Amino acid sequence: MPTVGIKRDLLFKALGRTYTDEEFDELCFEYGLELDEITSEKEIISREQGDTKASEASDVILYKIDVPANRYDLLCLEGLVRGLQVFKNKLEAPRYRRVSPVSGDPQKLIITKETAAVRPFAVAAVLRNITFTQERYDSFIELQEKLHQNICRKRSLVAIGTHDLDTISGPFTYTAKPPGDISFKPLNQTKEYTATELMSLYKTDSHLRHYLHIIEDKPVYPIIYDSNGVVLSMPPIINGNHSKITLQTKNVFIECTATDLTKAKIVLDMMVTMFSEYCSQPFTVEEAEVVYPDGKTCIYPELAYRKEKLSGEFINRKVGINESTEKIAQLLTRMCLLSQATGVGDEIEVEIPPTRSDVIHACDIMEDAAIAYGFNNITRTTPRAYTVANQFPLNKLTELLRQDLAAAGFTEALNFALCSAEDIADKLGKKISETRAAHISNPKTAEFQVARTTLLPGLLKTIAANRKMPLPLKLFEISDVVLKDETKDVGARNSRRFCAVYYNKSPGFEVIHGLLDRTMQLLEVKSARGEGYHIQAADDSTFFPGRCAEILVRGKTVGRLGVLHPDVINRFELTMPCSAMEIDIEPFLGHTAETLLTHDVPMQEVIKHKFPMQEGSQQAPLSRPTSTKTVFGDVSTQEGLKALNDFLADKSYMEGFAASQADMTVFDAIPSPPSLTFCHLRRWYNHIKSFQRERARLPAAKREFVLPAAPPASTNNTSDDDDIDLFGSDDEAESAEAARIKEQRLAEYAAKKSKKPALIAKSSILLDVKPWDDETDMAKLEECVRSVCMDGLLWGQSKLVPVGYGIKKLQIGCVVEDDKVGTDLLEEAITAFEDYVQSVDVAAFNKI
């Protein structure tokens, strides 16, 4: 989610009034935004670089506002103010127009065929007679940078160039040339450089070096000239110094080169609509003509308005409100979506302006209606769906296996779901085409190119990062892999796998084989051919020849185990033998993978919420036992119900963590549904009532909760002596006393347990922090890393590890509390020191 920093006083001046911090926070929430932080430039620099460098910084208050990633129109002061003013009914949404030049032909941008090898598309427009102030100029530059980081994907999809039109002359030519043939004076430089020299110059530039990779490996570089041969820009790297815009600039020529034409149109529309209000004719943009290599001519910017129709009933139903068609149209108009009722039923016609490229579906319009209505104003209602929650069987099986595998002496590792193509193919001795891997179309790093198809590489890399730990190393992981599957609507599916490795001076195949036997014992699969499991010899390039076997369960292959091939071990930088096993655990679920919910909706819920009744859904009244006496007392009395309610205050069931016959017997002993006064008992009662259809299949009770009823009084004529049993025991008194003692002990145990400190889940993380080059001050880099302070973070030992060419990386360990600190948070905090840190990788991640 992008964060926009805006000066508070400037914002209030544009809004026409001042707000307290609380009032503006509430306004942001109403509009679907979030006031993330109230700070100042001085405070930011002091926090990131120290008080010394912050001494000369500004004390002007800044509002840091979180904006949804798809709302490109809110990334600058102009768009944000315009949206808030329309939302508060203080302004009507402006109408943007494309106009022809007052005199002469429109500016022309000619694209040559050479650009097809790098960036084949371009669009252009002119902001005529614009007036800049320092604040407007800063906002103009800031919007370019926000768009570059957001929709432009760090200039890889679109690059924006802005030029002073009065310093250049059209028509302009967009072409591509070898880097040695390009020479110009780049922005803010005093001499000319060739493109090759520029690429070397900017390798140490903290800002531009991040974009060099986009074209540096291309045989030709894109370049834009004017009719006199003056270079406007070399996208996506740098503009020419000759045409740079200043506060005195009156006419701005904007060009966007791109690999994605749709994104280029959106970016151009955003730039011109946000700042066209400063032109002599507000909200007008002068058109430009773009000529493609095939002779096709297009006029930009498009500034296209389109209309969509949807029903008021759709919005009411999805949002959960009940408003008239006219009221909904007013709500949408407040969100810059000019709307009106058509008069045909409850149909609404909505006009989508060029600033709202995020509206691509009726659900987007519905969301804007909900924002304008106010989320806090939507009445909270009970969902119509009435279900009984249950743990997903595959996750339940996974959790049970984890505990017993850890008890077998193996340590669990958790690795990333993404990896490099080399990890799952070349390093394992396989071809990438045979792996059925799902590839990332535009991977950020070489470490995250594909979704993993096996858990083995992650465990081997974890061992490689922990080679100095005492031997043997025994690791396991139970996680999902992703495999291509044409039968699925998304073309791929998840598969839950279990993988274990044993690393020692000897291969230890018998250890892995023993773990397999133990796993099958836990899964209640016998060692036998046919209906059980067995192993048989197999060939696999990942394993040593003759030391590999496939695992068959009920005649089907579920995995493999064996001793890894020496080449595989070497490719993962290991030095000792290693045996491994990997199996698919989903086949062991049988038919219990998904359980249909067949419970009837209780009658009181049907009546209360007006659920439709199904035929035959009402059950015959259950027969009640004659006894209402339990270990908690007589549940036909208020005292007995209160004792039972207190017992269930911190419990879901009478015994253990699942429903059993103990719950059913106590349920049957209660004569009628308990009142709302006994909230815990009422909650338990309604829950157990949903198990009536499957009560016969519930496990038996471990103890008796319901006491036998007293024998009925005899109606025969007997002597008074027959009413007295001189040798009888006072069972009822003893039972009551036993219940009292039991309750007392339970209360004491609960009190003792509540004082016991909760276990805190922690992880040990090993980070690889990579510098930019061999000139980076590694001592300063480590100082920056250790300066990252968070609650639940403890830094450990560190060392410098040679990478190559004299470059060393910092390898540093830390212990974190899982609930407070995540790896993403750590990486973000460390990479903020961009002058020293190039990237951060998690070398090892182990639960403690």
Side-chain angles (χ1 to χ4, degrees):
M1 180 177 287
T3 301
V4 181
I6 297 178
K7 295 179 180 178
R8 183 187 63 182
D9 296 341
L10 199 62
L11 175 63
F12 289 169
K13 180 181 178 182
L15 289 173
R17 60 158 292 186
T18 59
Y19 294 84
T20 65
D21 293 341
E22 293 75 14
E23 289 173 341
F24 189 74
D25 188 18
E26 182 64 24
L27 175 61
C28 287
F29 176 80
E30 291 176 2
Y31 194 57
L33 309 176
E34 181 181 353
L35 180 57
D36 181 59
E37 186 182 7
I38 302 172
T39 183
S40 67
E41 181 182 340
K42 185 173 185 178
E43 184 178 341
I44 294 173
I45 297 176
S46 175
R47 183 171 61 241
E48 295 179 355
Q49 303 179 26
D51 294 336
T52 305
K53 293 188 176 181
S55 57
E56 299 179 0
S58 172
D59 286 324
V60 175
I61 300 299
L62 295 177
Y63 277 168
K64 294 282 189 178
I65 303 172
D66 282 345
V67 176
N70 60 344
R71 290 298 302 271
Y72 315 121
D73 58 315
L74 302 179
L75 292 176
C76 63
L77 172 69
E78 289 72 16
L80 183 63
V81 169
R82 201 175 303 157
L84 290 174
Q85 294 286 62
V86 174
F87 179 71
K88 301 296 287 185
N89 291 320
K90 295 182 178 179
L91 182 73
E92 289 187 1
R95 189 85 184 176
Y96 305 101
R97 294 184 300 116
R98 185 181 71 192
V99 297
S100 300
V102 176
S103 60
D105 297 326
Q107 296 295 333
K108 183 179 293 186
L109 177 62
I110 302 170
I111 305 176
T112 68
K113 62 181 180 180
E114 287 79 10
T115 60
V118 277
R119 302 173 77 82
F121 304 109
V123 295
V126 176
L127 289 175
R128 182 70 67 177
N129 293 322
I130 191 171
T131 302
F132 279 122
T133 63
Q134 186 63 52
E135 290 79 12
R136 295 173 184 178
Y137 179 85
D138 293 341
S139 182
F140 187 74
I141 301 300
E142 181 69 16
L143 178 60
Q144 290 184 59
E145 188 59 30
K146 291 293 183 184
L147 291 172
H148 275 153
Q149 296 300 316
N150 192 356
I151 183 175
C152 300
R153 295 294 186 273
K154 296 185 178 180
R155 305 190 189 182
S156 60
L157 297 183
V158 185
I160 309 168
T162 55
H163 312 279
D164 188 335
L165 187 58
D166 296 330
T167 63
I168 51 181
S169 60
F172 307 102
T173 303
Y174 173 42
T175 186
K177 291 184 176 183
D181 296 345
I182 299 173
S183 178
F184 68 101
K185 186 188 294 183
L187 191 65
N188 299 326
Q189 295 292 332
T190 57
K191 68 174 185 177
E192 290 192 354
Y193 293 87
T194 65
T196 305
E197 291 171 338
L198 282 177
M199 299 302 275
S200 299
L201 175 67
Y202 290 135
K203 280 188 180 297
T204 57
D205 188 282
S206 61
H207 179 63
L208 296 178
R209 66 188 180 197
H210 303 296
Y211 311 119
L212 302 182
H213 70 277
I214 301 174
I215 62 170
E216 65 180 344
D217 295 329
K218 305 292 184 183
V220 291
Y221 290 179
I223 193 79
I224 300 178
Y225 295 99
D226 76 346
S227 59
N228 297 321
V230 175
V231 173
L232 274 68
S233 67
M234 186 179 75
I237 308 301
I238 192 72
N239 288 348
N241 192 67
H242 181 82
S243 61
K244 70 177 181 180
I245 62 172
T246 64
L247 292 179
Q248 287 71 44
T249 298
K250 285 296 181 182
N251 302 298
V252 180
F253 178 68
I254 304 175
E255 43 83 9
C256 299
T257 58
T259 57
D260 186 320
L261 182 58
T262 301
K263 294 288 192 298
K265 294 177 183 177
I266 294 173
V267 170
L268 182 63
D269 282 351
M270 290 302 154
M271 288 297 302
V272 298
T273 54
M274 292 302 103
F275 291 91
S276 58
E277 67 173 293
Y278 301 137
C279 295
S280 58
Q281 296 183 38
F283 307 114
T284 61
V285 184
E286 184 178 305
E287 64 186 27
E289 185 178 304
V290 177
V291 182
Y292 284 90
D294 59 0
K296 178 182 176 182
T297 300
C298 296
I299 303 297
Y300 296 106
E302 288 189 344
L303 296 181
Y305 285 83
R306 76 177 198 274
K307 293 185 177 180
E308 301 289 346
K309 293 181 180 180
L310 72 166
S311 68
E313 185 274 335
F314 168 80
I315 293 178
N316 280 326
R317 175 165 45 87
K318 293 295 184 182
V319 178
I321 58 179
N322 186 21
E323 296 293 332
S324 65
T325 304
E326 291 73 17
K327 176 64 175 177
I328 294 175
Q330 293 173 12
L331 293 175
L332 292 173
T333 301
R334 290 177 59 197
M335 300 299 292
C336 296
L337 302 177
L338 184 61
S339 306
Q340 61 182 1
T342 62
V344 180
D346 64 344
E347 186 178 69
I348 302 172
E349 185 178 72
V350 183
E351 185 178 59
I352 315 298
T355 55
R356 294 301 306 275
S357 58
D358 59 297
V359 180
I360 57 178
H361 189 273
C363 287
D364 298 314
I365 300 175
M366 175 269 295
E367 180 186 14
D368 272 14
I371 293 173
Y373 184 84
F375 290 123
N376 285 341
N377 298 325
I378 300 174
T379 305
R380 182 177 296 182
T381 58
T382 303
R384 292 182 61 84
Y386 188 89
T387 61
V388 177
N390 197 9
Q391 188 177 8
F392 188 55
L394 183 59
N395 290 342
K396 185 175 183 179
L397 175 61
T398 300
E399 292 299 325
L400 293 172
L401 277 177
R402 280 195 176 110
Q403 296 178 20
D404 285 290
L405 292 172
F410 280 72
T411 301
E412 184 177 13
L414 296 174
N415 293 293
F416 292 115
L418 299 180
C419 63
S420 67
E422 185 183 25
D423 286 343
I424 61 171
D426 297 342
K427 287 186 178 181
L428 296 181
K430 301 181 182 296
K431 296 180 179 179
I432 189 65
S433 58
E434 301 173 354
T435 59
R436 293 192 295 163
H439 292 251
I440 308 300
S441 60
N442 186 24
K444 183 177 180 180
T445 68
E447 292 295 318
F448 302 119
Q449 295 175 316
V450 296
R452 62 183 177 186
T453 58
T454 170
L455 303 179
L456 183 58
L459 291 180
L460 294 179
K461 292 173 76 172
T462 302
I463 291 177
N466 292 273
R467 284 173 296 181
K468 293 187 177 180
M469 298 294 290
L471 297 176
L473 293 180
K474 300 192 291 184
L475 302 179
F476 80 92
E477 182 174 5
I478 304 181
S479 296
D480 284 353
V481 299
V482 180
L483 303 172
K484 285 184 178 179
D485 189 341
E486 299 300 329
T487 64
K488 302 296 181 181
D489 57 349
V490 295
R493 63 179 174 86
N494 282 20
S495 177
R496 188 66 53 88
R497 297 281 184 86
F498 158 50
C499 183
V501 296
Y502 179 83
Y503 180 75
N504 202 358
K505 295 179 180 179
S506 60
F509 177 77
E510 68 282 358
V511 177
I512 288 296
H513 194 179
L515 184 65
L516 171 64
D517 292 338
R518 173 58 179 160
T519 304
M520 292 301 175
Q521 183 184 31
L522 295 169
L523 294 171
E524 297 182 355
V525 180
K526 296 181 179 179
S527 177
R529 294 181 180 271
E531 289 302 311
Y533 79 95
H534 68 281
I535 63 173
Q536 66 181 27
D539 291 326
D540 192 315
S541 57
T542 303
F543 296 92
F544 195 85
R547 296 291 186 273
C548 174
E550 59 181 352
I551 305 165
L552 290 91
V553 176
R554 302 181 185 94
K556 295 183 179 180
T557 301
V558 297
R560 295 193 173 181
L561 80 163
V563 179
L564 294 183
H565 197 287
D567 292 342
V568 173
I569 295 174
N570 290 333
R571 292 182 192 122
F572 283 96
E573 301 179 2
L574 302 178
T575 57
M576 294 185 183
C578 186
S579 55
M581 166 185 69
E582 184 166 1
I583 62 175
D584 187 352
I585 66 173
E586 292 188 19
F588 299 97
L589 286 171
H591 299 291
T592 63
E594 295 184 8
T595 305
L596 297 177
L597 296 173
T598 57
H599 308 305
D600 286 335
V601 178
M603 279 302 299
Q604 63 267 30
E605 296 294 334
V606 172
I607 296 170
K608 181 177 179 181
H609 301 294
K610 300 180 181 179
F611 288 137
M613 282 290 292
Q614 299 178 358
E615 293 184 7
S617 65
Q618 188 170 357
Q619 299 178 17
L622 297 170
S623 59
R624 297 287 183 181
T626 56
S627 176
T628 58
K629 295 182 179 180
T630 68
V631 295
F632 308 101
D634 192 340
V635 291
S636 63
T637 65
Q638 294 296 306
E639 292 77 8
L641 292 175
K642 183 180 184 306
L644 181 55
N645 181 73
D646 294 341
F647 174 76
L648 292 169
D650 59 350
K651 299 177 181 63
S652 297
Y653 303 100
M654 302 303 298
E655 292 180 335
F657 302 98
S660 66
Q661 295 298 337
D663 295 279
M664 289 302 165
T665 55
V666 177
F667 176 86
D668 293 341
I670 301 174
S672 60
S675 66
L676 295 175
T677 307
F678 306 116
C679 57
H680 304 300
L681 177 57
R682 182 66 176 250
R683 177 256 306 161
W684 169 86
Y685 186 92
N686 290 336
H687 182 50
I688 299 304
K689 189 173 182 179
S690 67
F691 286 91
Q692 294 301 324
R693 280 194 172 185
E694 56 187 79
R695 60 183 296 159
R697 298 195 298 271
L698 295 179
K702 298 179 181 178
R703 54 167 295 190
E704 185 178 6
F705 284 90
V706 179
L707 304 176
S714 175
T715 57
N716 298 330
N717 295 326
T718 57
S719 63
D720 293 342
D721 292 342
D722 292 339
D723 294 335
I724 302 174
D725 182 4
L726 298 177
F727 300 97
S729 61
D730 191 358
D731 290 339
E732 184 175 342
E734 288 182 3
S735 298
E737 179 64 17
R740 186 189 65 78
I741 295 173
K742 175 181 178 296
E743 284 303 307
Q744 181 181 350
R745 290 176 177 174
L746 285 173
E748 291 174 353
Y749 174 73
K752 182 178 179 181
K753 187 176 180 181
S754 65
K755 297 177 182 177
K756 185 177 180 180
L759 292 176
I760 300 176
K762 295 184 179 181
S763 298
S764 173
I765 303 175
L766 187 65
L767 299 173
D768 282 345
V769 185
K770 299 175 182 177
W772 284 108
D773 49 42
D774 58 344
E775 296 180 358
T776 302
D777 186 344
M778 297 303 294
K780 183 64 178 176
L781 183 146
E782 181 175 355
E783 180 184 340
C784 292
V785 172
R786 292 187 181 273
S787 69
V788 175
C789 297
M790 301 178 185
D791 185 22
L793 168 65
L794 178 64
W795 291 111
Q797 295 182 344
S798 64
K799 64 177 181 179
L800 297 179
V801 179
V803 177
Y805 303 101
I807 301 175
K808 295 181 180 181
K809 64 181 179 182
L810 173 68
Q811 199 168 74
I812 184 168
C814 63
V815 175
V816 301
E817 294 183 20
D818 297 348
D819 290 342
K820 297 180 179 178
V821 182
T823 55
D824 291 344
L825 193 62
L826 269 179
E827 291 179 32
E828 182 180 349
I830 296 174
T831 52
F833 302 103
E834 58 181 19
D835 290 339
Y836 300 97
V837 179
Q838 180 187 31
S839 64
V840 180
D841 296 326
V842 177
F845 186 100
N846 293 307
K847 292 285 187 180
I848 298 179

